[in-house]
Amino acid sequence: MSEEFYRIKRLPPYVIAEVNNMRAAARAAGEDIIDLGMGNPDLPPPQHVIDKLCEVAQKPDAHGYSASKGIPGLRKAQANYYGRRFGVDLDPETEVVVTLGSKEGLASLATAITAPGDCILAPNPSYPIHTFGFIIAGATIRSVPTTPDEHYWESLERAMAFTVPRPTLLVVNYPSNPTAEVVDLAFYERLVAWAKENKVWLLSDLAYSELYYDGNPTPSILQVPGAKDVAVEFTSLSKTYSMAGWRVGFAVGNQTLISALSRVKSYIDYGSFTPIQAAACAALNGPQDQVAKNRELYHKRRDVLVESFGRAGWDVPPPAASMFAWAPLPPQLAHMGSLEFSKQLLTQAGVAVAPGVGYGEDGEGFVRIAMVENEQRIRQAARNVKKYLQKMGVNTPGQNEAI
């Protein structure tokens, strides 16, 4: 029997997993690896959220099947969050659905609305689920840039003019994973007008809504009047409240898309564990001081990363948002490509980063650095990087200077 299943054949080897496997092997061998590769928050959730989980888990009736679309209180809490944060009114019954993290939600929506052969517009580089969720569902992908400049709009126009069949949906992700690029409300206003003119659905991934820096809050596409006619937006508690392993996300917006997503999910799952959903309510409804503290902490890590890596001889542009820096390879080593550079950084400097090519061909020449270690570990990583660069013959500023 052939093991070349149709959908498996459409999934290339996960490039990032190569480095992840090497990191795991090195750690198993007792090596000290500073892991700046995976966007896995190292901070704990707020204590009152953990307390609520434990409290509800003690109840005998809390262990049965839950609600696939999310318990009513959690959907209401998410609607209230959008009202507070963005000034957007949402109907918890028809415009909000709870997902098992935004990643599952994106994949389930792709399953719900994709016909075989549909063409989807997605950014390159991008987080893999933005493309492969639709590829698994039978679609083809036409890439558009991630950088939101005039070239972006020209690419959209070319895609609509020359793609057969015409694209049915566009994925946007700002703050971007992996590039950390951001947009303003004017960008979304132009995008919504374009989508209505071209009869294209919009899928916005806003997973990093609360990790913004320099006093510039991230906007939501749903702040644009009439955006709910064409757009659905995904958010997550993973980064905002350091609840990545809890797998709580949301899709909100257009009723037609939310209804389709809810229907598919009703066949696939019974929702997340009820105590987790109750604790998620506590996160959204409770004190938000921890969110601001985490944002300040990531901001400090960003500044330490940019400063210490710069002194080590590797210029890292400061990200405006997210928990990632998108760094071009040091010019003298750019010839080796992002995968080989990432492997060498792991084996020779003990520092794990994610190769940019794992996020699409336009990610080649970059690596993604996650700010998921404390400031001392980031400085240690910079010292290790400096030694590696010197070994490779790269001139570093202040060769004998301490970092």
Side-chain angles (χ1 to χ4, degrees), residues 123-128 132 143 178 326 338 355-364:
N124 188 343
S126 73
Y127 189 55
F132 287 104
S143 294
W326 186 239
S338 62
V357 71
Y359 301 95
E361 61 183 278
D362 290 345
E364 184 53 275

Side-chain angles (χ1 to χ4, degrees), residues 98-392:
V98 181
T99 62
L100 306 179
S102 57
K103 192 173 182 180
E104 176 274 327
L106 284 155
S108 291
L109 180 64
T111 299
I113 66 174
T114 304
D118 277 359
C119 179
I120 305 298
L121 302 177
N124 188 343
S126 73
Y127 189 55
I129 196 65
H130 295 154
T131 53
F132 287 104
F134 288 96
I135 288 172
I136 291 169
T140 58
I141 304 296
R142 174 155 178 157
S143 294
V144 295
T146 301
T147 302
D149 56 13
E150 280 307 310
H151 178 52
Y152 179 87
W153 299 104
E154 293 165 6
S155 296
L156 291 186
E157 293 303 330
R158 284 199 305 274
M160 299 312 297
F162 299 114
T163 308
V164 179
R166 280 171 65 85
T168 56
L169 180 141
L170 167 67
V171 179
V172 291
N173 171 216
Y174 299 105
S176 167
N177 179 7
T179 71
E181 291 169 299
V182 297
V183 295
D184 57 15
L185 197 56
F187 174 88
Y188 285 138
E189 289 168 349
R190 186 173 176 182
L191 192 66
V192 168
W194 174 87
K196 290 186 175 185
E197 179 184 345
N198 288 279
K199 296 180 172 56
V200 171
W201 294 114
L202 296 175
L203 190 165
S204 169
D205 182 356
L206 193 63
Y208 297 91
S209 60
E210 301 309 323
L211 287 185
Y212 57 84
Y213 310 123
D214 306 314
N216 295 315
T218 305
S220 161
I221 196 171
L222 298 182
Q223 289 176 258
V224 178
K228 284 195 284 186
D229 295 339
V230 292
V232 65
E233 188 161 72
F234 287 86
T235 56
S236 166
L237 302 192
S238 295
K239 311 306 190 292
T240 304
Y241 300 99
S242 303
M243 294 167 63
W246 298 49
R247 309 314 301 136
V248 181
F250 302 90
V252 305
N254 180 270
Q255 291 187 15
T256 301
L257 295 178
I258 294 298
S259 175
L261 172 57
S262 300
R263 188 166 178 178
V264 163
K265 279 180 62 61
S266 71
Y267 281 89
I268 293 174
D269 69 70
Y270 284 109
S272 59
F273 187 36
T274 298
I276 286 179
Q277 295 196 53
C281 290
L284 288 166
N285 293 334
Q288 300 299 301
D289 55 323
Q290 191 63 46
V291 176
K293 287 178 183 175
N294 287 355
R295 181 163 52 241
E296 184 179 343
L297 184 145
Y298 281 115
H299 194 164
K300 288 179 179 176
R301 288 181 180 181
R302 179 199 74 168
D303 292 347
V304 167
L305 173 72
V306 171
E307 180 265 335
S308 62
F309 274 53
R311 289 173 63 193
W314 186 4
D315 289 331
V316 176
S322 85
M323 63 197 306
F324 305 115
W326 186 239
L329 271 57
Q332 302 94 323
L333 303 180
H335 63 277
M336 68 173 61
S338 62
L339 180 57
E340 179 59 28
F341 176 77
S342 298
K343 289 179 177 179
Q344 289 202 17
L345 212 59
L346 179 69
T347 58
Q348 300 188 41
V351 176
V353 298
V357 71
Y359 301 95
E361 61 183 278
D362 290 345
E364 184 53 275
F366 293 81
V367 296
R368 193 193 72 176
I369 305 173
M371 299 179 286
V372 292
E373 296 265 17
N374 63 41
E375 293 175 31
Q376 291 75 21
R377 293 281 282 173
I378 291 172
R379 290 191 185 280
Q380 181 60 55
R383 289 192 287 271
N384 294 1
V385 165
K386 183 175 182 177
K387 291 177 185 174
Y388 166 69
L389 293 179
Q390 290 174 344
K391 179 181 174 184
M392 297 298 290

Side-chain angles (χ1 to χ4, degrees), residues 24-39:
R27 281 188 162 167
E31 295 179 38
D32 179 25
I33 302 298
I34 302 172
D35 189 2
L36 307 179
M38 190 173 179

